Amino acid sequence: MSELRPFPLATWSQARRDMARQLRRVPGARRQALLAAVLLAFGAWCTVSVPRLMGGIVDIVTAADTASGADGDAALWRTAGLMVAAAVGAGVADGAGYFLLARLSERMIANLREEMVGTALGLPMHRVEDAGTGDVVSRSTDDVAQVSSAVMEVMPVLSGAVFVIAATGVGLLSVDWRFLLVLVLVSPVYWFSARSYLRRAPQLFAAERASMGLRARRVLEAIHGRRTVRAFRMEQEMHDRIGEASWSVATNAVAANRVMVTLLNRMLVAELVMISSTVLLGFFLVGHGVLGVGAVTGAALMVIRVRGPLQQVMRVLDAAQSGYASLARIIGVTVDPPRPVPDAGAPEPRGEIVMDGVGFSYGPTEGDGAGDGSVDWAVEDVSFRVTPGRTVALVGSSGAGKTTVATLLAGLREPTTGAVTVDGVPVTELSDAERAARLALVSQEVHVFSGTLRDDLLLAAPGAGDGELRDALSAVGALEWVDRLPDGLDTEVGSRGVVPDPVVSQQLALARILLRDPRVVVLDEATAEAGSSGARALEDAARRVTEGRTALTVAHRLDQAREADEILVMEDGRIIERGTHEDLVASGGRYAELWSVWSRGR
Ligand SMILES: Nc1ncnc2c1ncn2[C@@H]1O[C@H](COP(=O)(O)OP(=O)(O)OP(=O)(O)O)[C@@H](O)[C@H]1O
């Protein structure tokens, strides 16, 4: 098995560009972002004004000794009123700014997820398989959830706190430029604390989560497999395994918390530096008559007030970082989107299919420059032609290469060697529209999409009326089932409604083919698992679908192959026999052998 090649991670500049593009996609986004910034800046200014006004109160009280009492009272009330107004203004502006930002970011995340899933669906099958389907699934579920929760956790803090920190800096400088010294002294302490925390914390928290997962798995294994554990007297061994996993949770949790405590201690040092340098500088400035007591009190209160926002920012650093890591994983899928194939100018669909010297390998080939040079062919040197309207059946034992040929013919995979053409045009060069008009595949994994049954069928033919839908359902033998449904065509089906059994699901897939009406059909259904009556119903349905069309049928039951115009027998990726049923039985080769086993088993 070849090694997985996960999708890349977006670089910082790719992530930035993509977020700017997502921003442009939301109508009125710039205006909303600007309005949010203005509101948050105003909120921060109001927040910082409160301690400054308090400093003003100190000046009023100090001056009250000398001024008349009535003047002092009026000034006191006015300042108190302003403080209340500033507090209310801060609350309202912060709330409104945060609301706008949260709405905007949720829309951007929704667009991003949509784009990522759309890109992944349009990628060649092999690219998704190379990455491992789990990679795409975890990026579109876990990572999107991670970004969403990071936004919910980080956004309220950052949107408020960053503006308050900036406003405090500006506020301090406006009291006196020498307060720059406080900022110069304290900034490096915060900077280095944050850096050393971010360098170590994410791995430690990830290790803690991983060991929790391991412990949960081991406990569940022991509970689910308790009979086996008892039977083999493995209680102590299981106990030790769980104990070992629990111990690793404990050591990882201690290590993670130690880093957190170190961060908190460094922040205490930073706060000590910040407050003591403000007080000392204030003392100096008042002593030299540069500032009044009120101004310095205001500055000191501002510094005390900003500790909260600074702590909040430091606390959400790792959530912000893991949110960014998830964002880079999501954008990593979309950075290299599949280029849409332009129309190849294919002629009117006739339905002629040709495979010429086709080889395909799931693993590395010489061209990749990977592997040890030996190629593990899934199919090799496969050549055949099906003229319009005829049916060819592929038979062979499991793993012979039948499904691979079907997916190559449907254009889902690109041949490693040779050519697959439909109406003279290589199938991978047909645009989506040209391909959809020409050929359709029913694979072993049929899917009924969530929604009403009508929606599910209309995916194949958006303009079809109820009459056409019912005709198609009747042709594939599914109409009776539909008429038994509580709301007929309007019944909810799929994961959130009625789940059709495998036979009906395949009949619905065949009905979709009838509605789409392509010239070529490739049928690789799982009739073998349908039971004999189900298989017969599906064979009847398949016969209706192949009538008047060019068809390649992967015949899991040899009854199906018997009716084909030509049978291709595959073994180890090659066609080893070809001819009609009668010819092949008469020739006494591999097919005759398969047929005799099959006939005995019926
Ligand atoms: N996605 C895949 N990745 C790697 N190898 C694969 C993959 N799919 C099939 N193969 C291998 O390619 C070879 C041909 O498989 P294929 O599924 O085409 O055979 P098949 O005749 O359709 O078998 P079945 O009747 O069991 O579906 C087998 O050796 C199989 O193990």
Side-chain angles (χ1 to χ4, degrees):
M1 180 143 177
S2 53
E3 249 179 56
L4 291 181
R5 274 196 309 126
F7 285 99
L9 295 181
T11 60
W12 169 242
S13 71
Q14 281 169 335
R16 222 185 41 225
R17 265 202 308 277
D18 203 79
M19 290 321 283
R21 196 171 53 79
Q22 296 298 345
L23 193 67
R24 285 195 296 273
R25 280 184 63 196
V26 180
R30 268 164 193 269
R31 228 184 21 250
Q32 288 175 38
L34 192 71
L35 183 59
V38 169
L39 283 166
L40 291 169
F42 176 71
W45 178 75
C46 289
T47 305
V48 172
S49 298
V50 175
R52 292 193 72 168
L53 289 166
M54 275 183 148
I57 288 181
V58 171
D59 280 341
I60 295 166
V61 173
T62 322
D65 295 341
T66 49
S68 84
D71 277 359
D73 279 359
L76 207 56
W77 279 111
R78 204 172 43 248
T79 313
L82 281 175
M83 279 171 69
V84 171
V88 172
V92 172
D94 281 348
Y98 169 61
F99 170 75
L100 283 176
L101 269 192
R103 202 174 58 163
L104 195 58
S105 44
E106 282 300 333
R107 281 193 194 168
M108 283 166 66
I109 293 170
N111 284 346
L112 192 64
R113 172 193 229 150
E114 227 170 74
E115 197 168 294
M116 195 209 102
V117 175
T119 308
L121 287 177
L123 285 168
M125 253 170 115
H126 71 86
R127 183 65 196 95
V128 178
E129 283 170 1
D130 287 352
T133 327
D135 191 34
V136 180
V137 173
S138 79
R139 290 184 195 227
S140 56
T141 52
D142 298 344
D143 286 312
V144 171
Q146 185 72 45
V147 173
S148 268
S149 80
V151 166
M152 297 307 285
E153 195 182 333
V154 175
M155 190 70 86
V157 172
L158 285 194
S159 58
V162 167
F163 280 92
V164 171
I165 294 167
T168 304
V170 174
L172 278 180
L173 294 182
S174 72
V175 173
D176 191 282
W177 65 268
R178 276 160 279 224
F179 280 107
L180 188 64
L181 186 69
V182 178
L183 303 182
V184 169
L185 277 177
V186 84
S187 300
V189 187
Y190 275 109
W191 172 254
F192 286 114
S193 312
R195 254 189 37 163
S196 90
Y197 174 73
L198 285 180
R199 215 176 280 151
R200 298 175 55 208
Q203 293 93 307
L204 290 172
F205 282 115
E208 186 192 357
R209 277 196 294 268
S211 53
M212 281 174 171
L214 180 70
R215 181 181 58 184
R217 231 177 15 253
R218 288 191 176 170
V219 170
L220 285 176
E221 269 169 20
I223 292 172
H224 287 311
R226 60 189 181 282
R227 289 209 177 86
T228 319
V229 172
R230 286 261 169 88
F232 288 91
R233 290 256 148 276
M234 286 159 54
E235 289 92 341
Q236 190 55 45
E237 198 182 324
M238 281 298 179
H239 188 266
D240 292 346
R241 271 160 55 86
I242 295 170
E244 188 192 308
S246 293
W247 184 244
S248 98
V249 173
T251 47
N252 283 327
V254 168
N257 281 317
R258 194 178 297 142
V259 178
M260 179 54 110
V261 170
T262 309
L263 174 74
L264 293 179
N265 284 340
R266 287 185 179 159
M267 280 168 61
L268 284 179
V269 172
E271 286 166 12
L272 178 74
V273 172
M274 191 163 66
I275 295 173
S276 53
S277 58
T278 307
V279 171
L280 284 175
L281 185 65
F283 188 73
F284 173 82
L285 293 174
V286 172
H288 285 75
V290 180
L291 288 178
V293 177
V296 172
T297 309
L301 288 175
M302 267 190 253
V303 167
I304 291 169
R305 172 76 181 73
V306 83
R307 282 166 54 232
L310 278 167
Q311 278 174 10
Q312 287 169 358
V313 170
M314 300 297 260
R315 283 223 170 91
V316 297
L317 279 182
D318 71 315
Q321 203 194 27
S322 69
Y324 171 72
S326 287
L327 189 69
R329 280 168 54 76
I330 299 170
I331 297 175
V333 178
T334 63
V335 283
D336 189 15
R339 272 163 284 285
V341 179
D343 279 351
E348 270 297 290
R350 283 183 296 117
E352 178 173 67
I353 52 185
V354 177
M355 277 210 171
D356 185 13
V358 170
F360 179 82
S361 166
Y362 287 98
T365 57
E366 291 102 336
D368 297 338
D372 57 8
S374 65
V375 180
D376 189 9
W377 295 105
V379 298
E380 201 174 356
D381 198 21
V382 169
S383 300
F384 63 89
R385 164 192 292 260
V386 192
T387 50
R390 288 170 64 87
T391 299
V392 161
L394 275 183
V395 302
S397 43
S398 180
K402 306 178 298 290
T403 297
T404 308
V405 168
T407 49
L408 285 163
L409 183 56
L412 296 180
R413 299 185 188 280
E414 210 165 323
T416 315
T417 60
V420 182
T421 58
V422 175
D423 296 333
V425 182
V427 69
T428 48
E429 285 177 20
L430 294 170
S431 68
D432 286 348
E434 286 175 329
R435 196 177 319 156
R438 271 165 189 76
L439 55 82
L441 164 83
V442 177
S443 74
Q444 296 185 16
E445 301 154 20
V446 287
H447 189 76
V448 176
F449 295 92
S450 291
T452 65
L453 180 61
R454 180 185 281 102
D455 292 340
D456 187 71
L457 295 169
L458 288 179
L459 285 173
D466 279 12
E468 287 163 84
L469 300 186
R470 292 182 67 83
D471 284 350
L473 289 165
S474 156
V476 297
L479 192 57
E480 261 184 47
W481 176 80
V482 174
D483 285 338
R484 280 201 306 271
L485 291 175
D487 298 312
L489 285 170
D490 292 314
T491 307
E492 279 282 326
V493 290
S495 53
R496 286 197 286 166
V498 176
V499 181
D501 66 38
V503 173
V504 174
S505 299
Q506 292 200 46
Q507 285 173 320
L508 295 179
L510 291 167
R512 286 198 294 257
I513 303 268
L514 283 179
L515 289 164
R516 173 154 281 179
D517 194 19
R519 297 307 314 136
V520 179
V521 287
V522 183
L523 301 182
D524 183 12
E525 312 157 85
T527 42
E529 281 116 51
S532 57
S533 71
R536 254 191 308 282
L538 286 178
E539 277 165 28
D540 290 343
R543 203 172 300 117
R544 291 297 300 270
V545 170
T546 54
E547 260 166 25
R549 296 189 170 81
T550 312
L552 179 90
T553 312
V554 175
H556 295 280
R557 292 160 57 92
L558 292 190
D559 284 350
Q560 273 177 300
R562 190 179 186 170
E563 296 175 13
D565 297 306
E566 189 180 16
I567 298 169
L568 306 176
V569 185
M570 292 193 72
E571 209 58 82
D572 290 334
R574 290 174 174 272
I575 297 177
I576 54 163
E577 286 174 22
R578 61 179 79 203
T580 61
H581 171 77
E582 287 70 26
D583 292 347
L584 289 173
V585 171
S587 70
R590 175 79 178 125
Y591 181 79
E593 204 181 299
L594 289 171
W595 177 252
S596 118
V597 174
W598 165 259
S599 307
R600 275 204 303 275
R602 271 193 301 173

